[in-house]
Amino acid sequence: IINNYLDGTQGGAVAKGSPGGMHFRDSGRKVDYVLAYHYRKRLARHLPAPGSAEPTHGAASSGLLSNGGTAKGSAELHPGEDGQHALQEPRGLPGVEVVELSPLDAMEEEKQLEREEYERNLVEAGLEIEKDPENKSQGLSFVRIHAPWQVLSREAELLKIKMPTKKMYEITEEGGILKKLNEIWCKLTEPLQPQVPRQENTNMKTLSYPFSREKIYLYNIKDKDTFFDNATRSRIVHEILKRTSTKARNSMGISTLIANNVYDAAYPLHDGEYEGQNDEMNERQLLYQEWARYGVFYKFQPIDLIRKYFGEKIGLYFAWLGLYTEFLIPSSVVGIIVFLYGCITIESDIPSKEMCDQHNAFTMCPLCDKFCDYWNLSSACATARASHLFDNPATVFFSIFMALWATMFLEQWKRLQMRLSYFWDLTGLEEEEHPRPEYETKLLQKKLKNKNLTTENSNEVSCNSIFSLILDCGEKEKLTWSDRMPGYAANLGLILFMIMLTCSAVFGVIIYRITSAAALSFSTNQSPRSNVRVTVTATAVIINLVVILILDEIYGAVAKWLTEIEVPKTEKTFEERLILKAFLLKFVNSYAPIFYVAFFKGRFVGRPGHYVYVFDGYRMEECAPGGCLMELCIQLSIIMLGKQLIQNNLFEIGIPKLKKLFRKLKDERTEPKEVDTNQSKDPQQWDLDYILEPFTGLTPEYMEMIIQFGFVTLFVASFPLAPLFALLNNIIEVRLDAKKFVTELRRPDTVREKDIGIWYNILSGIGKLSVIINAFVIAVTSDFIPRLVYQYAYSQNGTMHGFINHTLSYFNVSHLKAGTQPENSPFAQNVLFCRFKDYREPPWSPNQYELSKQYWAVLSARLAFVILFQNLVMFLSVLVDWMIPDIPKDISEQIKKEKSMLVDFFLKEEHEKLKLIESFITHDKHKHKSGTKGSRIRAASFQGYQLNRSRQSSFTSFSSQHTEV
């Protein structure tokens, strides 16, 4: 292919776009990738030519076409002395005055030269490119890239991409009752299946093998243009773009060029529009109709089509999200049953009845100094009844159930992941990890620094390019601990600072609660004073939510910057470190207020006459009379629902639309109102895709679901309805993410992954942590253990009668500190003793106000429950893990069968090839007796073939390339 510059004024072939905007102008070669950039022509002064009234203009900007034609007066790509193509400008233009370049023009010239060098290197790599003519003074231009068969086959072999062979085999299914149950299930769920094309015979599977040009006869190649699908083609081109370098500015690959604003974007094309009815719908339209609409929320996801269109990595994400959403259904049902149990038994709960009984007349100590009066415990009746909804024996069962649920979910995901790996030909996938361009640049800078190369002689390096310099010279060198130490130190310092910032925000909200409660207590109006606790709690939780949302966005950007200064070697290492930092910061940010309410609030209050004060005048806040569990439930529900509604839904819908509008307004403002005669009236697919939002990775999608998984499992003992709200959110979330991927985002680069990576380890860690946290929530935050201890150790008749009186201690009001007694109390004269919630000795005891024996008995029972609960649940989790195999038995057998069949198929094809060659030689000998020389040549070639065949890898090594099961 000869790539030439075509004069932009000759628009015969240029003016017409390709049908659907998916091909080059010749309507034959498919556009596999697109590079977009903004150009700005240099404004030069022109002298009028002799005999003309108008100034002459230079040659028009030209489009690069892979058609082999050259237009008159155009600039061409000529072979240079160094074997590369050198761009030569048209000379002899009369009347052009050379002017000094402004800094902006000089920068634009540098970018243009870098683009030309990069595109020349792409052509040398075998790619074919097509450019639009630059007919305006400034504007947007596209470089369209096509990969011919030679490049596709070469790169597919290098990347070891598995491709279908001619061999198909039958998948053996399990018989008996499981098969019948599966058939019944398929019939029942038939209306829920998406209407997408399926394989006619689902019991047959094509045998796949890593592509090899030497064994091309193994593959089922009907058409070279369609053998590699669009996703595979774009993946191959993207790999070439990543490793193609330029000498200017140490640019290693397309990502560095985009970071330096040489190009604005690089993306593969979508398969046409997602709306509109055609006789034959493309895959994007199918995904929109059957997956990316809210009207099909009840249907299963077309996982195979998602994987085919977006790649295995995104396919695994949606498969995981679908399984997680399905598993939320049974947990939601059990959570509703637990909540209904609390509602049904609320009337028979003896402690709440005693608290609401006004005849008991428990006179409680003042809640604040001076301005608060003594109060009756029956006034907190509503709080006590509401606490029973979540603080009842059923929540203990639900905590055990959710711990086992998390284990079963992870085990089922491992089985589904293995099944998908088998059907998607990911078994034995070993992706070669290439160094990141940023790592190579850092390594190059280190090498140049070590060799003390100056700027003048840096161009005299023995290697021809920056890329070859690293390949030839950088193998022995790598970034050491001393090179990374500044980055590690910055990571440690900033992460600790961010955690302290989160704790400071929580402490600030605590101060707000204390001061607000005191201010409202001082109020002369009765209404604010009677609703102090509700007002303070609600406003504090909303402030917490706003702080969490703001810090989440900050922490995401900080985590990315911290990972970049570490300079990880590979993309996988970069992603894992980024995920760990972002998860750590967002985990602390999301759960710090909840941890405070669950385990710290009300623990450091003190007692009447000896309270703990903050800022020398404000008492530490204490829990409500019914305990802190109700407040923990309110805190958890508002933060969880607020994050899901605002961050996960409104932000995902609104922010991409705002960015799209901003980018559109920016382009309209910067581009002059000039008519481009060479642009077709209908926008092409690359124009439509450029307007879309770029894909930034799956980390935000996973992160919001992992944080939600924490809300569902970590504190589920205090909020049994958490799985239900998570389920309702995820039903919307699946379709919201689907619509975003299909309609709002540019098509992502396909990435082959056999698992979800480090996310599984995080899920497993959260599942184990949830057992410990729920054990402490039940033992410390709820009244479950004090009730058990009272019922079986202190109750006279084995019932809960007298429990409230047992938990309240006496305090002599004459022991209050001077200046803290209630002012203007109507019944201060009649009160000798007030009650407060704690296990302490009465004032008539020799050890007055010391911790009583009941306190130590309850504390011992709490610690014993934590140990017992944790070991029991951990044992059951390990038992479930042991009982459920990670790899389904049928998949394990199929993998073994496939390996055996692959060897047999390989031997059979080699044998047939051998017989064919022998028959040619025999036939040639009999037919051409005089052609002795030709026969000897063929025999020699056959002997060479046999020798080459004997040197190839043995069948033992051949089979070792596959996964060991």
Side-chain angles (χ1 to χ4, degrees):
I1 301 297
I2 303 174
N3 296 270
N4 296 323
Y5 282 91
L6 183 66
D7 188 0
T9 57
Q10 299 184 4
V14 182
K16 295 181 180 180
S18 62
M22 301 296 297
H23 295 79
F24 276 14
R25 302 291 185 183
D26 57 10
S27 301
R29 286 169 290 174
K30 188 179 296 183
V31 177
D32 297 318
Y33 222 87
V34 173
L35 307 179
Y37 65 92
H38 278 87
Y39 65 88
R40 179 179 177 274
K41 291 185 180 180
R42 173 158 44 97
L43 300 177
R45 289 180 291 131
H46 300 276
L47 296 175
S52 66
E54 298 291 334
T56 59
H57 297 274
S61 296
S62 51
L64 183 61
L65 289 172
S66 302
N67 61 356
T70 307
K72 183 179 180 181
S74 64
E76 302 177 14
L77 281 170
H78 296 285
E81 295 178 358
D82 57 350
Q84 298 181 346
H85 294 286
L87 179 64
Q88 296 184 1
E89 296 289 344
R91 295 180 229 183
L93 293 176
V96 177
E97 180 185 356
V98 179
V99 296
E100 185 178 354
L101 295 180
S102 66
L104 189 61
D105 288 333
M107 187 181 298
E108 189 62 35
E109 286 284 335
E110 186 180 353
K111 290 180 182 178
Q112 182 180 354
L113 292 174
E114 198 166 352
R115 281 194 295 266
E116 291 171 358
E117 182 190 356
Y118 185 71
E119 289 158 16
R120 280 197 301 268
N121 293 340
L122 293 180
V123 172
E124 290 177 0
L127 298 176
E128 300 171 11
I129 62 176
E130 177 184 76
K131 284 181 71 173
D132 287 332
E134 301 174 357
N135 292 320
K136 297 190 291 186
S137 60
Q138 61 181 21
L140 178 66
S141 186
F142 296 95
V143 179
R144 295 173 287 281
I145 302 174
H146 168 77
W149 169 259
Q150 292 83 357
V151 175
L152 293 173
S153 57
R154 179 192 72 208
E155 297 296 324
E157 185 173 358
L158 288 174
L159 297 173
K160 299 178 182 178
I161 299 176
K162 282 189 175 183
M163 299 303 296
T165 63
K166 300 175 183 177
K167 178 69 175 177
M168 294 187 70
Y169 67 96
E170 185 177 1
I171 301 173
T172 56
E173 296 182 347
E174 295 182 1
I177 190 171
L178 290 176
K179 184 177 181 182
K180 292 181 179 179
L181 290 175
N182 187 43
E183 291 176 354
I184 294 172
W185 174 253
C186 290
K187 288 181 180 179
L188 291 175
T189 58
E190 185 64 31
L192 305 180
Q193 298 294 337
Q195 302 299 316
V196 296
R198 302 179 192 172
Q199 187 178 339
E200 294 181 0
N201 192 352
T202 55
N203 294 331
M204 301 297 293
K205 184 178 184 296
T206 305
L207 204 61
S208 297
Y209 182 70
F211 188 80
S212 173
R213 287 175 289 180
E214 292 183 357
K215 302 180 180 61
I216 201 167
Y217 53 86
L218 297 175
Y219 305 98
N220 187 22
I221 305 177
K222 296 179 181 178
D223 185 0
K224 289 185 177 181
D225 291 335
T226 58
F227 179 65
F228 296 103
D229 60 13
N230 291 347
T232 307
R233 296 174 69 99
S234 63
R235 178 191 169 204
I236 289 173
V237 175
H238 181 64
E239 289 293 330
I240 298 174
L241 293 177
K242 283 199 301 184
R243 68 170 186 254
T244 303
S245 63
T246 60
K247 294 180 181 179
R249 289 204 272 181
N250 298 342
S251 297
M252 302 299 302
I254 187 63
S255 58
T256 310
L257 293 173
I258 293 176
N260 294 335
N261 295 319
V262 177
Y263 290 99
D264 291 340
Y267 52 91
L269 294 180
H270 278 292
D271 290 354
E273 290 279 10
Y274 62 87
E275 288 181 316
Q277 297 293 331
N278 300 326
D279 296 335
E280 185 177 351
M281 298 178 68
N282 60 47
E283 291 179 350
R284 191 184 186 193
Q285 289 174 329
L286 279 173
L287 287 171
Y288 179 74
Q289 291 294 330
E290 297 296 326
W291 179 53
R293 293 187 301 116
Y294 295 111
V296 293
F297 72 92
Y298 59 91
K299 289 188 177 183
F300 293 119
Q301 298 183 89
I303 294 297
D304 289 326
L305 185 59
I306 296 169
R307 169 253 177 177
K308 182 182 178 184
Y309 192 81
F310 291 111
E312 285 77 7
K313 189 173 184 178
I314 295 175
L316 283 174
Y317 164 71
F318 281 104
W320 175 85
L321 181 58
L323 182 68
Y324 171 50
T325 305
E326 290 174 12
F327 259 73
L328 284 173
I329 296 174
S331 60
S332 301
V333 172
V334 177
I336 293 172
I337 293 173
V338 170
F339 179 73
L340 292 177
Y341 171 82
C343 295
I344 293 170
T345 58
I346 192 171
E347 296 299 333
S348 59
D349 182 51
I350 296 174
S352 60
K353 278 185 176 181
E354 289 184 349
M355 191 177 291
C356 294
D357 188 2
Q358 296 183 0
H359 297 288
N360 286 328
F362 294 113
T363 303
M364 306 298 292
C365 296
L367 295 175
C368 65
D369 296 341
K370 293 179 65 175
F371 297 96
C372 295
D373 201 356
Y374 302 103
W375 57 286
N376 200 314
L377 185 61
S378 60
S379 62
C381 175
T383 306
R385 291 171 65 88
S387 297
H388 178 73
L389 298 176
F390 306 100
D391 190 1
N392 55 69
T395 56
V396 181
F397 158 76
F398 190 54
S399 299
I400 299 174
F401 170 80
M402 288 303 295
L404 298 179
W405 172 88
T407 303
M408 291 188 67
F409 164 63
L410 293 177
E411 288 300 311
Q412 188 61 29
W413 168 244
K414 283 194 287 188
R415 290 170 62 84
L416 177 60
Q417 187 173 256
M418 196 64 210
R419 189 176 294 276
L420 292 176
S421 296
Y422 166 68
F423 283 104
W424 292 354
D425 296 318
L426 298 175
T427 53
L429 177 66
E430 294 294 337
E431 290 285 338
E432 293 185 8
E433 288 288 337
H434 300 289
R436 297 172 61 244
E438 293 82 359
Y439 178 85
E440 293 181 333
T441 304
K442 187 79 173 179
L443 195 63
L444 176 65
Q445 291 173 354
K446 178 186 176 183
K447 182 173 181 59
L448 296 178
K449 182 179 179 182
N450 291 341
K451 290 191 173 183
N452 294 321
L453 294 177
T454 59
T455 308
E456 288 77 10
N457 59 14
S458 61
N459 295 325
E460 300 174 3
V461 180
S462 60
C463 304
N464 291 328
S465 65
I466 303 299
F467 185 69
S468 59
L469 173 63
I470 292 177
L471 286 180
D472 297 340
C473 310
E475 290 290 339
K476 299 178 183 178
E477 292 194 26
K478 62 180 182 180
L479 297 183
T480 59
W481 271 94
S482 59
D483 300 318
R484 299 178 184 272
M485 189 54 68
Y488 289 151
N491 270 261
L492 180 61
L494 269 176
I495 288 175
L496 290 177
F497 172 76
M498 292 297 172
I499 293 175
M500 293 301 296
L501 178 64
T502 301
C503 296
S504 301
V506 174
F507 184 72
V509 175
I510 294 171
I511 299 302
Y512 163 78
R513 296 163 70 112
I514 294 171
T515 54
S516 298
L520 290 174
S521 301
F522 299 160
S523 174
T524 56
N525 193 347
Q526 183 63 26
S527 178
R529 293 177 64 183
S530 59
N531 298 309
V532 168
R533 196 177 297 277
V534 176
T535 304
V536 171
T537 300
T539 54
V541 173
I542 293 173
I543 292 172
N544 268 326
L545 176 62
V546 173
V547 171
I548 287 172
L549 294 177
I550 293 173
L551 290 182
D552 259 359
E553 299 302 318
I554 296 173
Y555 288 166
V558 169
K560 185 176 181 182
W561 180 75
L562 288 175
T563 311
E564 287 174 349
I565 64 175
E566 273 190 66
V567 198
K569 184 174 182 180
T570 62
E571 287 292 343
K572 186 175 182 180
T573 310
F574 178 88
E575 188 175 16
E576 287 179 351
R577 294 184 182 181
L578 172 62
I579 290 169
L580 281 176
K581 291 181 185 66
F583 173 73
L584 175 63
L585 294 174
K586 293 190 177 185
F587 180 89
V588 173
N589 184 41
S590 298
Y591 298 117
I594 301 172
F595 269 93
Y596 164 73
V597 175
F599 303 121
F600 297 101
K601 185 178 179 182
R603 313 292 169 197
F604 311 102
V605 178
R607 60 170 178 81
H610 196 272
Y611 284 114
V612 176
Y613 289 90
V614 180
F615 298 133
D616 194 26
Y618 296 101
R619 275 164 48 177
M620 284 292 293
E621 57 177 348
E622 52 187 303
C623 294
C628 276
L629 198 69
M630 186 62 195
E631 188 170 344
L632 176 62
C633 173
I634 295 172
Q635 185 103 2
L636 182 66
S637 59
I638 292 180
I639 291 177
M640 178 182 176
L641 296 177
K643 277 180 66 69
Q644 290 184 349
L645 179 64
I646 299 173
Q647 192 175 43
N648 298 0
N649 294 325
L650 293 182
F651 281 10
E652 284 195 27
I653 296 172
I655 290 180
K657 292 186 179 296
L658 289 175
K659 287 183 177 179
K660 182 178 177 181
L661 178 62
F662 176 76
R663 191 165 54 249
K664 183 179 179 181
L665 293 174
K666 182 181 177 182
D667 290 343
E668 289 179 354
R669 187 173 64 252
T670 55
E671 292 187 12
K673 302 295 182 180
E674 300 178 30
V675 179
D676 190 351
T677 57
N678 294 319
Q679 187 176 3
S680 59
K681 294 181 180 179
D682 297 328
Q684 300 296 307
Q685 190 61 46
W686 48 83
D687 296 305
L688 298 173
D689 286 2
Y690 178 77
I691 300 173
L692 302 178
E693 189 70 17
F695 174 69
T696 56
L698 286 172
T699 301
E701 315 299 333
Y702 271 115
M703 188 65 71
E704 64 187 51
M705 288 295 104
I706 297 297
I707 295 296
Q708 184 202 82
F709 183 79
F711 283 122
V712 169
T713 55
L714 291 179
F715 296 92
V716 76
S718 64
F719 190 40
L721 295 179
L724 175 62
F725 288 114
L727 174 63
L728 297 176
N729 173 79
N730 285 10
I731 291 174
I732 301 172
E733 180 72 22
V734 171
R735 307 302 162 180
L736 179 63
D737 282 349
K739 188 173 183 181
K740 182 171 68 173
F741 272 85
V742 174
T743 66
E744 298 288 341
L745 296 179
R746 295 173 190 158
R747 189 171 184 172
D749 296 303
T750 58
V751 179
R752 289 176 68 85
E753 292 283 355
K754 59 183 178 181
D755 52 38
I756 60 174
I758 198 172
W759 294 113
Y760 179 83
N761 300 328
I762 293 175
L763 285 168
S764 180
I766 291 177
K768 291 178 174 61
L769 183 62
S770 68
V771 177
I772 302 171
I773 290 179
N774 280 306
F776 277 98
V777 168
I778 295 170
V780 177
T781 311
S782 74
D783 282 338
F784 178 73
I785 299 301
R787 293 186 184 195
L788 281 182
V789 172
Y790 174 77
Q791 185 174 0
Y792 293 104
Y794 296 100
S795 176
Q796 296 178 356
N797 53 8
T799 65
M800 293 302 296
H801 289 286
F803 173 72
I804 297 298
N805 185 53
H806 178 75
T807 59
L808 297 177
S809 299
Y810 287 91
F811 180 77
N812 192 335
V813 297
S814 63
H815 294 164
L816 288 172
K817 289 183 178 180
T820 61
Q821 299 91 342
E823 293 182 351
N824 304 321
S825 174
F827 40 78
Q829 303 296 330
N830 302 325
V831 177
L832 297 177
F833 298 98
C834 65
R835 311 293 294 272
F836 63 99
K837 189 172 182 179
D838 204 350
Y839 292 101
R840 292 185 179 270
E841 297 288 345
W844 53 82
S845 170
N847 301 318
Q848 61 178 3
Y849 307 133
E850 295 291 332
L851 295 173
S852 63
K853 294 180 181 179
Q854 290 90 335
Y855 171 84
W856 299 110
V858 170
L859 180 62
S860 302
R862 282 172 166 166
L863 295 177
F865 174 82
V866 169
I867 296 171
L868 179 64
F869 181 89
Q870 178 182 339
N871 285 279
L872 174 64
V873 176
M874 287 293 187
F875 170 75
L876 293 175
S877 300
V878 172
L879 184 64
V880 170
D881 190 1
W882 175 75
M883 292 176 62
I884 303 176
D886 294 347
I887 304 175
K889 185 178 178 181
D890 59 328
I891 296 298
S892 176
E893 292 175 354
Q894 293 296 335
I895 292 174
K896 293 177 183 177
K897 177 182 175 182
E898 186 176 271
K899 290 172 65 177
S900 176
M901 292 188 66
L902 192 58
V903 174
D904 293 340
F905 172 66
F906 186 79
L907 285 170
K908 183 180 177 181
E909 289 293 328
E910 288 285 317
H911 183 64
E912 290 180 357
K913 182 180 177 182
L914 181 62
K915 286 174 62 177
L916 184 63
I917 294 175
E918 289 177 346
S919 65
F920 281 154
I921 294 175
T922 305
H923 182 267
D924 198 32
K925 284 182 179 179
H926 288 292
K927 190 172 181 180
H928 304 285
K929 295 181 181 179
S930 60
T932 307
K933 185 177 179 180
S935 298
R936 287 176 180 170
I937 292 172
R938 289 188 179 89
S941 65
F942 173 64
Q943 290 174 355
Y945 161 76
Q946 284 185 319
L947 181 61
N948 184 37
R949 183 169 173 265
S950 65
R951 290 178 179 174
Q952 288 179 352
S953 58
S954 63
F955 296 116
T956 304
S957 64
F958 168 79
S959 61
S960 67
Q961 295 178 10
H962 297 267
T963 306
E964 294 182 5
V965 180

